Amino acid sequence: MKTCAVIPVYNHGQAVGAVVEAVRGHGLPCILVDDGSDADCASVLDLIAGADPDGVRLLRLPVNQGKGGAMIAGLRAAHARGYTHALQIDADGQHDTRDIPCFLEQAARYPARIICGCPIFDDSVPRGRLYGRYATHVWVWINTLSLAIRDSMCGFRVYPLAPAIALFDAVRLGRRMDFDSEVLVRLHWRGVGIVNLPTQVRYPADGISHFDVLRDNLLISRMHARLFFGMLLRLPRLLWRKVAS
């Protein structure tokens, strides 16, 4: 295994430095994906990459692509550099970087599977976001005919890169907040296993969220609809997989 971290960044200049420092402290090289950030954040990313040129690579997208677009670009860059696995972690500090060794340990144990964070929330989680997650959970369970994916929206996970890149080459996935759920469902359809790993998640009081309630909920709803019809087309194979297992 050869693993790096991919961190999508869009105007998280105040938080991303601590995230990178923690990731590097666990021995992982980083690919920072600047997703069209403003000048202040871009300068912070330049400083971070310049201070650690051997451990941090900066990939700059000229215009904002959305979280999914940034992750696809970052995962492709990781694969092109010879990495076999990539840890995805958000730049806003909501994920507990102390759990990185647990993710890496599980990835080493199950290298062909996705190690997917299963959030344990504290009181900082916005209630609307929390309740909305349950609707997505139900649709994911329907669209996979399985409870294998316990939480499809957590952006703290480890991908085996070969099946992820093969998926990107074959299917156009959602480029924004719909990406995290869709990529897991489609990889599950392709037979990629899932390991659910509990991890603490907090929402910093001064954190910046780019979740657009109207736009992103609409995109997520459309994504679930597409996946539902995709599930119907794959129904015989999914049912046979359940029987065979």
Side-chain angles (χ1 to χ4, degrees), residues 8-11 33-37 45 59-70 175-176:
V9 187
Y10 179 55
N11 294 339
V33 185
D34 179 4
D35 190 21
S37 297
L45 297 179
L59 173 62
R60 180 153 279 148
L61 305 182
V63 294
N64 179 257
Q65 301 289 312
K67 183 180 182 182
R175 276 354 194 217
R176 295 195 175 273

Side-chain angles (χ1 to χ4, degrees), residues 3-244:
T3 307
C4 69
V6 174
I7 307 175
V9 187
Y10 179 55
N11 294 339
H12 289 107
Q14 293 185 342
V16 66
V19 175
V20 172
E21 181 179 4
V23 170
R24 293 290 294 128
H26 291 294
L28 282 181
C30 294
I31 297 176
L32 292 176
V33 185
D34 179 4
D35 190 21
S37 297
D38 61 24
D40 288 342
C41 180
S43 65
V44 170
L45 297 179
D46 286 334
L47 289 173
I48 292 172
D52 187 7
D54 294 328
V56 179
R57 296 293 183 94
L58 179 58
L59 173 62
R60 180 153 279 148
L61 305 182
V63 294
N64 179 257
Q65 301 289 312
K67 183 180 182 182
M71 279 307 305
I72 291 170
L75 294 175
R76 285 191 179 278
H79 188 251
R81 290 186 171 92
Y83 292 103
T84 62
H85 292 73
L87 174 88
Q88 172 183 340
I89 187 169
D90 287 352
D92 59 3
Q94 68 173 275
H95 298 140
D96 191 344
T97 55
R98 294 173 297 180
D99 285 342
I100 289 175
C102 298
F103 280 82
L104 299 180
E105 177 184 339
Q106 290 299 304
R109 186 176 181 183
Y110 304 105
R113 303 184 189 183
I114 303 165
I115 314 304
C116 191
C118 191
I120 302 171
F121 292 108
D122 60 18
D123 292 337
S124 66
V125 60
R127 293 300 159 187
R129 296 282 295 276
L130 182 62
Y131 300 145
R133 296 179 83 94
Y134 287 108
T136 283
H137 297 344
V138 171
W139 274 113
V140 166
W141 298 336
I142 291 170
N143 289 333
T144 58
L145 299 184
S146 168
L147 299 177
I149 302 171
R150 302 303 302 174
D151 188 298
S152 68
M153 300 184 75
C154 182
F156 196 9
R157 54 183 68 165
V158 178
Y159 293 97
L161 286 173
I165 299 304
L167 175 65
F168 302 158
D169 288 342
V171 179
R172 179 175 174 82
L173 277 70
R175 276 354 194 217
R176 295 195 175 273
M177 296 297 185
D178 45 350
F179 169 81
D180 281 338
S181 295
E182 184 174 10
V183 68
L184 288 188
V185 170
R186 291 190 178 276
L187 286 172
H188 181 272
W189 284 350
R190 289 175 168 233
V192 180
I194 307 289
V195 175
N196 297 288
L197 185 63
T199 183
Q200 294 284 338
V201 175
R202 66 183 184 89
Y203 283 76
D206 57 350
I208 298 174
S209 173
H210 297 299
F211 188 90
D212 184 294
V213 174
L214 179 60
R215 180 196 65 193
D216 288 317
N217 278 324
L218 178 60
L219 288 172
I220 289 170
S221 297
R222 291 174 58 188
M223 176 265 296
H224 288 314
R226 289 196 310 271
L227 292 177
F228 178 73
F229 288 107
M231 179 273 292
L232 293 179
L233 291 173
R234 294 167 175 83
L235 188 58
R237 185 172 62 188
L238 294 174
L239 289 174
W240 174 250
R241 186 191 299 174
K242 290 180 70 68
V243 171

